[in-house]
Amino acid sequence: MKKAIEDTWPESRHRLCMWHIMDKLSAKVGASICNNTDFKKRLCAIVWTDSIIPVKFESEWATIMNDFNLVDHEWLQSLYQIRDTWIPAYYREEVMSGLMRTSSRSESENHFFGQKNDHDTRNTNAEIWAEDFVLEDQASRIYTRTIFFDQQLEIQNGIHRCAIGKWEDIGDFVKFFVKDWEQPCTTFFEVMMREADMTVYCTCKRFEQFGLLCSHIFCVLRMLDIREFPQRYILRRWTREAVPNSAPGAILGINETEDRYNEVNRVVREITYSTESVINKLVTNFDALCSFRDHVVNYFKTADESVVNAPPKSRREKFAEITGNTKPSEATVRVPIGTRFKGMGKPKRMKSKREIAVSQLGKKSRQCQNCFRYGHNRRSCKNPTRTKEQAMAEDHGEEADEVEEEEDEWEEVEEDMDEQDEDALDEEDGEEE
């Protein structure tokens, strides 16, 4: 992949994912040294930062390797040899366009830029943490919701975690030495400030990389009591109006030709480029700039009155245009009755033994078709085969036998009772004598 990227995009730079590299640290070095010492904490302090310079990183790396006797560790040495492909300290001079260090963020860039001008950005206000610092409130109205959260974090770090040690005048500039308590590896960051035209520069080079001012610059702006956000350091790509409400695709229908689509895109690009060029040329002439502004505002009102924005199409209408099937279906789909899925269990409740016995009371049990007796079926029958007539005759005979047996039992009982009565009378006569 590295070779293909070099051949296809010669000016690009292929990076390795820091997260996947650091995720293997415990397995390669050992869980004991990572969990029981401050090795991992110290290593992450110089890896997961873009504020230190390469020389500082190399010296800190050597110190950590010596302290933990890992100078000859094969895996760590191999990573150190390719440190310029994954350590942020070696990317300080390159514009990252807001990309973060891990592949998870770069894999979601399409979603990130797609949601940059969402409903929350245009219709809600973010929470302001430092109400006494006016630049934070201005940033919330300038940037989109996602970008403002990143900038807000830098503002808070500049207020609570940075301090100015000293400053000195160098020509038209003032050099401030800012201490960042979140970066113990670096002694001071140098911020060059020219208040006349609001030119500012920091040695951490965060703005050059990501297009956002760093916490060290906000620390200086707060000390100088700057009341207006520096306009020259607001990149249009991060603002609320970076993407218009209607993209060129919304101007055309689904069935438009590709040539028509390319023509609309070309016209939009020409308008954008021409407008920015005029602004850049008139920025030094305030009267001409105001005149151009008035012209654009007047035309904006005219366009707003002449154009009627149609409501957005529903999902059903979009699918109908793509498939060409605009006629609604007349088929009625009903919910299936009695449908059971795997794992649903029995649809009825469990019954107790008493309830089962009551429900079966009076019901005739199953009759065997082999012996015509009840309580079993032909498959489990162990009785000899007989016809239905034989079964009825035998059943009548068995019933007669049962009646005779009951009569015999009653006769025996009556005889026993008569003998007991005679014995009792004999005993009474003997007592009287």
Side-chain angles (χ1 to χ4, degrees):
M1 186 165 101
K2 181 179 180 181
K3 181 63 177 175
I5 291 175
E6 291 177 354
D7 295 340
T8 307
W9 297 295
E11 298 180 358
S12 64
R13 185 170 180 180
H14 184 212
R15 294 186 60 185
L16 302 179
C17 177
M18 295 174 58
W19 185 88
H20 287 92
I21 293 176
M22 297 300 292
D23 187 52
K24 300 177 182 177
L25 188 63
S26 298
K28 296 292 185 179
V29 178
S32 60
I33 190 174
C34 291
N35 298 332
N36 301 328
T37 65
D38 61 344
F39 166 74
K40 189 173 183 179
K41 180 180 179 181
R42 292 175 59 183
L43 189 65
C44 289
I46 64 173
V47 170
W48 293 97
T49 179
D50 48 25
S51 299
I52 63 175
I53 61 178
V55 176
K56 188 66 176 180
F57 167 79
E58 294 171 1
S59 62
E60 291 293 331
W61 177 282
T63 303
I64 295 173
M65 296 299 112
N66 290 326
D67 292 345
F68 294 96
N69 298 322
L70 296 173
V71 178
D72 297 328
H73 194 278
E74 183 178 357
W75 184 73
L76 291 175
Q77 287 301 315
S78 64
L79 291 179
Y80 185 76
Q81 296 298 326
I82 58 172
R83 58 190 180 276
D84 59 328
T85 62
W86 64 285
I87 297 297
Y90 295 88
Y91 290 85
R92 291 164 50 82
E93 304 296 333
E94 299 184 13
V95 179
M96 302 302 296
S97 298
L99 298 178
M100 302 305 289
R101 292 181 290 269
T102 62
S103 61
S104 60
R105 180 64 179 264
S106 62
E107 288 166 359
S108 63
E109 280 301 308
N110 291 334
H111 175 76
F112 169 71
F113 286 108
Q115 298 295 325
K116 192 160 64 67
N117 281 301
D118 56 3
H119 179 272
D120 290 340
T121 296
R122 296 185 180 276
N123 300 279
T124 62
N125 296 321
E127 181 182 1
I128 305 300
W129 294 344
E131 296 181 357
D132 59 334
F133 191 45
V134 296
L135 297 187
E136 182 177 356
D137 180 64
Q138 294 178 15
S140 67
R141 290 183 274 107
I142 293 173
Y143 295 112
T144 62
R145 175 62 63 90
T146 304
I147 297 301
F148 170 68
F149 288 154
D150 295 338
Q151 190 69 95
Q152 187 181 40
L153 185 61
E154 294 295 326
I155 293 174
Q156 291 300 311
N157 291 338
I159 296 174
H160 302 291
R161 299 177 181 178
C162 295
I164 298 177
K166 62 178 180 178
W167 61 88
E168 57 185 23
D169 295 331
I170 302 178
D172 296 336
F173 288 86
V174 179
K175 179 187 287 188
F176 295 88
F177 296 88
V178 181
K179 176 63 179 178
D180 190 346
W181 304 108
E182 286 292 308
Q183 302 294 337
C185 299
T186 303
T187 307
F188 286 98
F189 291 95
E190 298 179 4
V191 177
M192 300 292 292
M193 178 73 181
R194 186 169 62 192
E195 196 171 354
D197 57 354
M198 292 303 296
T199 301
V200 65
Y201 168 81
C202 183
T203 54
C204 73
K205 296 186 178 181
R206 181 171 181 81
F207 178 79
E208 286 75 11
Q209 282 187 289
F210 305 112
L212 297 174
L213 294 179
C214 62
S215 57
H216 319 120
I217 292 178
F218 280 113
C219 181
V220 174
L221 295 178
R222 186 167 183 266
M223 191 203 74
L224 297 177
D225 195 24
I226 302 299
R227 312 295 295 180
E228 185 178 355
F229 203 97
Q231 296 295 320
R232 65 188 306 171
Y233 297 103
I234 300 175
L235 297 186
R236 187 173 178 272
R237 67 166 68 104
W238 303 139
T239 61
R240 290 170 175 254
E241 303 302 328
V243 178
N245 292 330
S246 298
I251 303 174
L252 303 174
I254 299 295
N255 299 325
E256 293 287 349
T257 61
E258 185 177 357
D259 294 338
R260 177 64 174 170
Y261 185 83
N262 294 333
E263 183 180 358
V264 172
N265 276 293
R266 180 181 58 79
V267 173
V268 172
R269 287 195 300 269
E270 289 178 356
I271 294 173
T272 304
Y273 175 77
S274 301
T275 304
E276 292 182 351
S277 298
V278 172
I279 293 174
N280 292 332
K281 292 179 180 178
L282 300 179
V283 69
T284 57
N285 190 340
F286 182 74
D287 294 334
L289 190 64
C290 292
S291 177
F292 179 73
R293 190 254 338 252
D294 296 338
H295 174 73
V296 173
V297 170
N298 291 331
Y299 189 81
F300 175 78
K301 294 179 180 179
T302 304
D304 192 31
E305 294 174 356
S306 60
V307 177
V308 178
N309 293 325
K313 296 181 180 180
S314 64
R315 189 175 181 181
R316 184 185 296 274
E317 293 174 346
K318 293 179 180 179
F319 277 115
E321 289 186 0
I322 295 174
T323 59
N325 182 17
T326 58
K327 184 179 180 180
S329 176
E330 297 179 355
T332 303
V333 180
R334 298 180 179 178
V335 178
I337 301 175
T339 302
R340 295 179 68 247
F341 299 95
K342 183 178 181 180
M344 286 184 61
K346 295 181 179 180
K348 298 181 180 179
R349 64 181 180 83
M350 297 180 64
K351 297 181 180 181
S352 64
K353 293 182 179 180
R354 174 184 174 82
E355 193 174 357
I356 294 174
V358 172
S359 63
Q360 292 180 353
L361 187 63
K363 290 184 178 180
K364 198 172 184 180
S365 61
R366 180 177 298 176
Q367 186 182 30
C368 176
Q369 298 299 316
N370 183 49
C371 65
F372 295 96
R373 289 187 173 89
Y374 294 95
H376 63 276
N377 55 21
R378 177 181 293 179
R379 181 177 296 177
S380 61
C381 181
K382 297 181 180 180
N383 300 322
T385 304
R386 60 178 184 172
T387 62
K388 191 173 184 179
E389 290 76 10
Q390 293 175 347
M392 294 175 63
E394 290 180 2
D395 290 341
H396 289 305
E398 291 176 356
E399 292 178 357
D401 293 339
E402 290 177 357
V403 171
E404 292 179 357
E405 289 178 357
E406 290 179 358
E407 291 178 352
D408 294 340
E409 290 177 356
W410 279 109
E411 290 178 357
E412 292 178 356
V413 171
E414 290 177 354
E415 291 176 357
D416 292 338
M417 293 177 64
D418 292 340
E419 292 177 355
Q420 291 176 1
D421 292 340
E422 291 177 358
D423 295 338
L425 292 173
D426 293 340
E427 289 178 357
E428 290 178 358
D429 294 340
E431 291 177 355
E432 291 178 355
E433 293 178 356

